[in-house]
Amino acid sequence: MIIIETTDELIKARDTLEGSVGFVPTMGALHEGHLSLIHQAKAHNERVIVSIFINPTQFLEGEDLDKYPKKIEADKEICKRAGVDILFMPTASIMYEPDELVIMAPAIMGYILEGNRRPGHFDGMLQVVMKLLNLTNPTNAYFGKKDAQQLALITQMARTYHLRTHIVPCDIVRSPQGLALSSRNLYLSPEEKQKALALSRSLKRATKMVMNHEMDALIIKNAMEEILESQTEIEYIAIVNRDFHPLGRVEVGNTIILVAAWVGATRLIDNLWI
Ligand code: PAF
């Protein structure tokens, strides 16, 4: 595995790679969720590039940019063992120039749900993903369904800008207890981890209801709220179609149920694709 820190070197190294290239962009503090993306990239491509970059432009004022978990040495080891060919680890000054051209998230999709709670977050996320896709020019790029809105926006960006990369959605990886894996889970105390299970429990309840033919979005949301409210501070529960339009009734094959909630000082998200 080679570790690269500059964009010029990355472009040169990328150009020497023959055959299909899978790319996994991350912000580090790698866990089993990231590893499953890397394994998928490895299984379906001849070469694999991973990036680790805590992108400052997607953090809002007062968010956790400064304390975002860093595990540089462990991350390098994980990538090496997983058979990654190139690990790209740039700094912010390498990735950004002052007063640069920006990409903006679309007015509706970029500003509902996560975008409503974190206005501007998706602009910064899209900006860096566009840079990373251009630098790595991958055949396939792998993104987790846990960040469902992020995934939808990146898919839209690839369409809008006619990118050649195939955006591959990957299933959520959970702890044995059901907690969706996230680098931010490192902030949770053991008690908070227990409370955080309310998110996946509420989604399991929703699954059961749908399996029992309860399709009314309001009834499902109320049942989820009952599970969540004693353990977390709910930000939103939403039932939308795959284009993120709110649904009154669940449509099997075209629904995402999303939840965002605080457990102590940690904001968590989770979702279920039906
Ligand atoms: O999902 C993430 O870790 C980040 O949003 C991404 C896609 C690496 C862009 O910084």
Side-chain angles (χ1 to χ4, degrees):
M1 179 177 87
I2 54 170
I3 299 178
I4 291 180
E5 291 176 359
T6 70
T7 52
D8 289 347
E9 276 174 285
L10 177 60
I11 291 168
K12 265 196 217 132
R14 165 62 183 103
D15 286 350
T16 65
L17 298 183
E18 282 173 12
S20 57
V21 172
F23 174 51
V24 181
T26 80
M27 297 205 299
L30 302 181
H31 50 66
E32 288 293 327
H34 296 113
L35 208 50
S36 89
L37 303 183
I38 297 173
H39 287 157
Q40 290 184 62
K42 197 77 195 139
H44 298 113
N45 301 275
E46 279 147 87
R47 299 290 183 173
V48 174
I49 306 178
V50 171
S51 66
I52 296 181
F53 177 57
I54 302 176
N55 173 38
T57 64
Q58 70 187 73
F59 288 78
L60 270 62
E61 201 63 39
E63 287 190 342
D64 56 346
L65 173 62
D66 293 336
K67 65 168 186 149
Y68 195 84
K70 291 173 198 65
K71 295 189 159 198
I72 313 272
E73 290 314 313
D75 287 351
K76 285 183 187 165
E77 196 51 39
I78 288 171
C79 289
K80 205 163 118 193
R81 285 200 192 162
V84 170
D85 296 282
I86 298 177
L87 175 59
F88 179 50
M89 302 180 74
T91 58
S93 59
I94 291 277
M95 287 300 280
Y96 287 99
E97 51 184 295
D99 192 26
E100 66 173 33
L101 185 148
V102 290
I103 291 183
M104 281 171 71
I108 300 173
M109 254 281 267
Y111 289 87
I112 55 170
L113 303 172
E114 285 303 287
N116 174 267
R117 296 299 168 147
R118 307 179 68 195
H121 160 70
F122 285 131
D123 299 344
M125 180 281 292
L126 290 171
Q127 180 86 359
V128 84
V129 170
M130 182 65 139
K131 284 170 184 279
L132 290 167
L133 290 178
N134 283 327
L135 286 164
T136 55
N137 188 23
T139 320
N140 299 297
Y142 295 81
F143 295 89
K145 286 183 177 175
K146 177 166 166 289
D147 293 298
Q149 208 174 343
Q150 163 172 290
L151 172 61
L153 285 165
I154 292 168
T155 306
Q156 185 178 357
M157 179 172 76
R159 199 172 57 236
T160 305
Y161 290 103
H162 308 288
L163 305 183
R164 307 294 167 85
T165 299
H166 176 223
I167 305 299
V168 186
C170 301
D171 287 340
I172 297 176
V173 179
R174 298 179 178 281
S175 73
Q177 293 75 28
L179 183 63
L181 298 191
S182 159
S183 304
R184 289 190 168 102
N185 292 350
L186 290 168
Y187 299 148
L188 299 170
S189 68
E191 278 151 56
E192 288 173 336
K193 266 202 184 132
Q194 285 304 313
K195 291 188 171 186
L197 294 177
L199 277 83
S200 55
R201 265 211 315 275
S202 74
L203 293 168
K204 266 192 211 139
R205 176 92 182 95
T207 312
K208 271 203 189 131
M209 292 176 83
V210 171
M211 281 167 67
N212 289 330
H213 309 291
E214 178 56 81
M215 299 294 172
D216 188 303
L218 198 60
I219 296 179
I220 296 172
K221 281 199 252 182
N222 286 342
M224 290 175 66
E225 199 177 315
E226 261 176 39
I227 294 174
L228 285 159
E229 67 191 353
S230 61
Q231 308 293 317
T232 72
E233 199 180 308
I234 303 169
E235 265 200 0
Y236 64 75
I237 302 170
I239 302 189
V240 298
N241 69 14
R242 301 280 164 89
D243 294 320
F244 279 78
H245 297 138
L247 289 175
R249 294 183 66 74
V250 167
E251 293 169 7
V252 175
N254 187 29
T255 298
I256 311 176
I257 303 183
L258 304 121
V259 51
W262 288 85
V263 176
T266 306
R267 185 175 186 277
L268 298 173
I269 58 172
D270 200 351
N271 64 63
L272 168 73
W273 296 51
I274 292 177

